[in-house]
Amino acid sequence: MKKNKKPKWTRKWHQFFFFFLRIVVFIFVKIFYKYKFEPVRIKKKQKYIIICNHQATLDPIFLGVAFNRLPYFVANDDLLHIKYASWWLSTFFGIIPKSKGKSDYKTVKTMLQVLKENGSVALFPEGNRTFTGELCYINPAIIKFIKNAKTDVLIYNIEGGYGVDPRWSRKLRQGKLKGRVRKILSYNEIDAMNLEELEKTIKKSLNVFEAPSINEYKSKYRAEHIERVLYICPECMKKNTIISKGTQFTCTSCNTTWEYTKNLTIFKDKVLYKYKTVYEWYKMQLSDVTSKVYSDDEVIFTDLDVKIFVSKGTLKKVLLDKGKAILTNREIKIIGNDTHTFNLSEIEGVCASGKQQVMFRQNDSTYTIRNDEEKRNNFNPIKYVTTINHLKYNEEGKDEYFGI
């Protein structure tokens, strides 16, 4: 009796639709982003594992337009919660879904299937956009996959993405944006490396130092919403006191004001500040988190006017409640029409999503906490993710919360 053949993941029509979409996208990125890129030509039966740093919202487009053949993207399955997106992305482009914040054996199997069918796989090993301009944590499982896949690896860099479109901002800046091939590793080169050497090579090739920048990124609103990533004032060490407007941001407690410059640096009183970039300020915040010892049930953070959503699998997110978020060293609690309590010991996969959302899983459900946009513009996910992961794992100095 014949066994039923597993259906192919790669389809001829994927390349057909990609060919026409690429023309439109090419015009779009050239006109609206002034994007310059190094093109890559892949032959019909040639394949790569394509990896790229992740800085801007449209990174998949900036990466994809550089190739003459469709690379099959690994993408956060949160995209599948968007109306019609699941059918569109799956049918026309064969997107490979991946659950954020957890290992996913099904995703690995699909990637291997695509490679076996002579398709190229594209992924962002950080699994999340940088909030600071620096390379984020890369899950060691990605390195193991690359090591065992027996396929050449093409490492592509997008430069200027953080300057043009920082994750925490709502407005784009004008400035240089380009893409280029950083390195190609043959399977034989990969095979000759151990995991530690391979990880070091990949991280070095993916890292793009965005700040300070020799290029200028112009906007009258370049500091706005920076409080989505910066929440501790280094002058008075008060939390949740930073507000932004235009090119400046201020601590409402001690009235210190800083400027976020066109070169992605931070100035105070027209002098380069001691934390000269968002990344250096973030590292200060991380040190503060890892140095704290909290008493039982001590309230660490409180945020008014938040929403909590719940979803299962690829089903659409459903609003669960609106109210106040409270984080203690034991639990995160949302108090609205009802009280929703999540013990930190029972949740996993805590990570930042989008520009201002915290996601985590409990049992077979995924929960998302964000601002109530009708009442507030900003919600800082960084403080929750770093603090919760420190409380759960107590790993000083680690910022692994961005892992896929």
Side-chain angles (χ1 to χ4, degrees):
M1 189 175 180
K2 288 185 178 180
K3 291 183 178 179
N4 291 328
K5 279 188 176 182
K6 188 175 183 180
K8 289 186 68 175
W9 193 273
T10 60
R11 301 287 185 172
K12 289 182 179 179
W13 65 74
H14 292 161
Q15 300 299 338
F16 176 80
F17 282 108
F18 176 73
F19 174 80
F20 288 102
L21 182 65
R22 185 173 178 266
I23 296 171
V24 176
V25 168
F26 178 87
I27 296 169
F28 172 77
V29 297
K30 284 289 186 181
I31 293 175
F32 292 98
Y33 286 87
K34 307 293 189 294
Y35 178 51
K36 297 179 180 180
F37 61 88
E38 178 182 350
V40 181
R41 182 168 182 79
I42 300 178
K43 296 176 183 177
K44 191 171 183 180
K45 291 193 176 181
Q46 188 180 22
K47 61 186 176 183
Y48 287 108
I49 296 173
I50 301 163
I51 58 177
C52 184
N53 59 317
H54 201 359
Q55 298 180 333
T57 306
L58 297 184
D59 280 348
I61 289 176
F62 298 145
L63 178 60
V65 75
F67 291 83
N68 66 314
R69 296 183 65 80
L70 170 70
Y72 288 82
F73 278 91
V74 178
N76 177 11
D77 64 5
D78 205 37
L79 284 172
L80 305 184
H81 296 149
I82 303 171
K83 194 173 183 181
Y84 305 122
S86 176
W87 179 83
W88 175 265
L89 293 171
S90 301
T91 303
F92 294 106
F93 303 105
I95 191 172
I96 304 171
K98 167 75 178 69
S99 297
K100 186 185 287 288
K102 73 172 184 178
S103 299
D104 197 330
Y105 180 63
K106 186 177 179 182
T107 301
V108 173
K109 285 183 68 177
T110 305
M111 287 192 287
L112 291 173
Q113 180 184 345
V114 169
L115 293 171
K116 189 177 180 180
E117 295 170 5
N118 288 317
S120 291
V121 170
L123 66 153
F124 299 93
E126 299 159 272
N128 223 321
R129 284 177 61 193
T130 176
F131 268 100
T132 65
E134 295 286 319
L135 190 71
C136 299
Y137 167 77
I138 296 177
N139 192 321
I142 299 291
I143 309 300
K144 290 179 182 178
F145 169 77
I146 291 172
K147 175 74 172 172
N148 296 324
K150 300 182 179 180
T151 304
D152 295 348
V153 172
L154 188 150
I155 303 174
Y156 205 86
N157 281 173
I158 294 171
E159 301 172 355
Y162 184 75
V164 169
D165 182 22
R167 182 173 179 177
W168 42 265
S169 179
R170 292 177 63 181
K171 294 183 181 292
L172 299 176
R173 291 93 161 95
Q174 292 180 339
K176 288 186 177 180
L177 178 65
K178 65 179 183 178
R180 68 183 179 98
V181 177
R182 180 74 173 267
K183 196 177 189 67
I184 295 177
L185 293 172
S186 70
Y187 164 62
N188 290 331
E189 289 177 293
I190 294 170
D191 193 46
M193 298 181 192
N194 59 37
L195 285 173
E196 186 178 343
E197 290 169 335
L198 181 59
E199 180 178 20
K200 185 177 179 181
T201 299
I202 287 173
K203 285 183 175 180
K204 183 179 179 180
S205 300
L206 283 174
N207 206 6
V208 175
F209 297 98
E210 288 286 271
S213 175
I214 60 172
N215 299 315
E216 290 189 347
Y217 294 90
K218 300 174 183 178
S219 172
K220 295 186 293 185
Y221 312 100
R222 60 180 178 266
E224 290 191 0
H225 308 291
I226 203 168
E227 59 266 45
R228 292 176 180 174
V229 61
L230 306 182
Y231 67 95
I232 297 178
C233 171
E235 298 296 310
C236 65
M237 294 308 292
K238 294 290 179 66
K239 299 176 181 177
N240 305 327
T241 58
I242 293 174
I243 58 171
S244 59
K245 186 175 182 181
T247 63
Q248 297 182 330
F249 57 104
T250 301
C251 172
T252 57
S253 176
C254 65
N255 293 320
T256 304
T257 296
W258 301 266
E259 181 187 3
Y260 188 64
T261 74
K262 298 174 184 177
N263 301 101
L264 316 185
T265 53
I266 297 170
F267 273 61
K268 174 179 173 282
D269 298 328
K270 299 184 179 180
V271 176
L272 189 64
Y273 193 51
K274 59 182 177 180
Y275 302 114
K276 59 181 178 289
T277 64
V278 170
Y279 178 70
E280 290 184 8
W281 194 308
Y282 157 76
K283 294 297 284 188
M284 176 275 294
Q285 294 178 162
L286 189 62
S287 295
D288 180 79
V289 168
T290 56
S291 66
K292 289 286 193 295
V293 177
Y294 300 102
S295 58
D296 288 349
D297 298 318
E298 177 184 349
V299 174
I300 302 170
F301 297 122
T302 300
D303 273 286
L304 303 176
D305 302 322
V306 302
K307 290 180 177 180
I308 183 168
F309 298 82
V310 62
S311 63
K312 290 188 178 183
T314 59
L315 297 177
K316 186 179 178 180
K317 292 179 184 177
V318 176
L319 178 64
L320 187 61
D321 212 339
K322 299 179 183 180
K324 175 170 66 173
I326 299 173
L327 176 67
T328 73
N329 68 332
R330 294 176 182 268
E331 61 192 22
I332 184 167
K333 187 181 294 185
I334 307 297
I335 302 174
N337 294 327
D338 296 304
T339 298
H340 311 271
T341 302
F342 305 92
N343 292 326
L344 300 188
S345 61
E346 297 175 0
I347 66 176
E348 59 181 354
V350 183
C351 60
S353 177
K355 294 178 180 288
Q356 50 178 341
Q357 299 180 144
V358 177
M359 288 180 64
F360 60 87
R361 297 190 313 278
Q362 186 177 58
N363 301 322
D364 60 344
S365 297
T366 299
Y367 295 89
T368 303
I369 301 172
R370 59 159 298 149
N371 64 309
D372 184 343
E373 59 273 14
E374 294 178 359
K375 296 183 178 180
R376 59 183 294 182
N377 290 323
N378 296 305
F379 177 76
N380 186 305
I382 302 295
K383 62 185 182 185
Y384 284 93
V385 179
T386 51
T387 304
I388 291 171
N389 280 333
H390 174 63
L391 291 170
K392 283 177 67 64
Y393 307 115
N394 197 28
E395 294 181 331
E396 184 172 352
K398 301 232 176 172
D399 49 358
E400 300 183 357
Y401 60 89
F402 285 117
I404 63 175

